[in-house]
Amino acid sequence: MIRRNAKGILMNKNLIFAAALIAIASPSPVFAQGGRGGRGGPPPTAKAAAPFDVTGYWTSVVTEDWHVRMITASKGDFGSGPNTEGLPFGRDGNIPYNAEGTRAGKAWDLAKDKAEGNVCKSFGAGGIMRQPSHLHITWQDDYTLKMEIDNGTQTRLVKFARPAAQGGALTKPEPSAQASAQGDSVGEWIIKGGTPAWPRGGNLQVVTSNVTAGYYWKNGMPYSDKTKLTEHFRVIKEDNGDEWLNFSLMSEDPTYLNEPWISTYHFKKLADGSKFKPRPCAID
């Protein structure tokens, strides 16, 4: 399906998705959690298996979707500015909404959200990584990665498969009994390389489900509680010492989307936590 982005450049969504996976993931991944710690030994913990260090403080670098990330865009702005019909490109936009998604997006009511205490709907799993913010990533334990986000004071827990018993096979985390804004996130290291000719590397894949309905952006661009989010994180080190956390997000929503929606964002590593300042959710 061909679309135009905010600069009028023709884009094919399938090609973008393929390019994103090639750049961030690997075509034939080897899953670290299925490996062994040694001959006859237990597999390594998720923390020990990490092909790179994702911990530390990071700041979002907003070079994409600036006006919908930095401010509360106008009602009906699906990513490229509303036209006379209230939607960009006639009846389409950067988000591939179906008719129901379009209806829900155009029905957004800021005053109603504030009155009902729904100011955090764009700070759930589908929107929080788009917010201009600082991240603090740590290991809560050997199988749980903790992501704290200062904008909105949100916390995401990425849980990896762990042994069900001492020396037992690895099992994926059980889903929560109730849906939540951040949902259930299951992590997996996708590892490639590890030879003299090909240094060990890879990316972190995070699949999130069991979410409550929310917004991608502050202006009420909706995702439903049926949404599945697939993220990939990869750390890049530049020659000058800068470190970047490259991030891609694919949203699949049978309620509101005609097709998967892909976006890519970037975070830069900070020397310390001096800029990490938790603050409550806010919409203008």
Side-chain angles (χ1 to χ4, degrees):
M1 185 173 185
I2 303 296
R3 301 183 181 279
R4 291 181 181 273
N5 66 6
K7 297 180 180 179
I9 300 173
L10 284 175
M11 301 188 299
N12 182 296
K13 285 292 185 181
N14 293 328
L15 291 180
I16 290 175
F17 178 44
L21 291 183
I22 290 172
I24 299 175
S26 299
S28 301
V30 175
F31 298 98
Q33 294 302 96
R36 294 183 176 274
R39 185 180 297 274
T45 65
K47 182 178 180 180
F52 54 81
D53 183 12
V54 72
T55 63
Y57 290 93
W58 306 83
T59 183
S60 54
V61 179
V62 183
T63 56
E64 307 90 353
D65 302 326
W66 193 95
H67 81 287
V68 288
R69 296 176 66 188
M70 297 300 293
I71 62 176
T72 301
S74 60
K75 182 176 180 176
D77 185 338
F78 282 34
S80 298
N83 61 14
T84 56
E85 297 182 27
L87 292 174
F89 312 133
R91 293 193 176 278
D92 215 341
N94 283 0
I95 306 175
Y97 280 125
N98 57 25
E100 181 60 20
T102 298
R103 183 205 63 76
K106 293 177 69 174
W108 174 66
D109 187 330
L110 174 58
K112 184 172 182 289
D113 273 353
K114 288 183 175 181
E116 295 178 351
N118 286 328
V119 294
C120 285
K121 289 191 73 172
S122 57
F123 294 80
I128 188 62
M129 303 301 286
R130 308 175 199 278
Q131 297 288 349
S133 58
H134 302 97
L135 310 180
H136 183 209
I137 304 177
T138 57
W139 284 99
Q140 179 168 284
D141 58 48
D142 285 346
Y143 296 94
T144 308
L145 198 62
K146 184 178 182 180
M147 293 186 181
E148 297 172 277
I149 303 98
D150 64 354
N151 192 356
T153 314
Q154 301 294 310
T155 299
R156 301 182 63 191
L157 296 178
V158 179
K159 299 179 180 181
F160 292 74
R162 64 171 69 206
Q166 185 67 29
L170 293 172
T171 59
K172 288 189 176 182
E174 292 292 329
S176 301
Q178 293 184 330
S180 63
Q182 302 305 333
D184 295 325
S185 295
V186 178
E188 191 163 35
W189 294 113
I190 300 179
I191 298 176
K192 294 295 289 184
T195 67
W198 189 354
R200 187 173 183 267
N203 70 91
L204 168 61
Q205 177 180 278
V206 177
V207 178
T208 301
S209 57
N210 202 22
V211 298
T212 52
Y215 301 149
Y216 294 120
W217 296 325
K218 288 184 179 181
N219 66 333
M221 296 298 97
Y223 61 87
S224 78
D225 59 1
K226 300 296 190 296
T227 298
K228 173 185 173 183
L229 304 168
T230 302
E231 300 163 281
H232 287 92
F233 298 84
R234 186 176 182 183
V235 171
I236 302 296
K237 295 184 179 181
E238 302 287 353
D239 291 340
N240 64 358
D242 289 347
E243 291 189 49
W244 292 84
L245 182 63
N246 293 340
F247 160 75
S248 75
L249 171 61
M250 179 176 72
S251 179
E252 298 173 275
D253 183 359
T255 303
Y256 290 145
L257 296 182
N258 280 319
E259 60 186 70
W261 179 43
I262 315 297
S263 54
T264 58
Y265 297 128
H266 311 279
F267 298 84
K268 188 176 182 180
K269 194 163 193 177
L270 300 173
D272 53 45
S274 59
K275 294 183 178 180
F276 186 86
K277 299 177 180 180
R279 53 197 184 276
C281 306
I283 50 178
D284 306 313

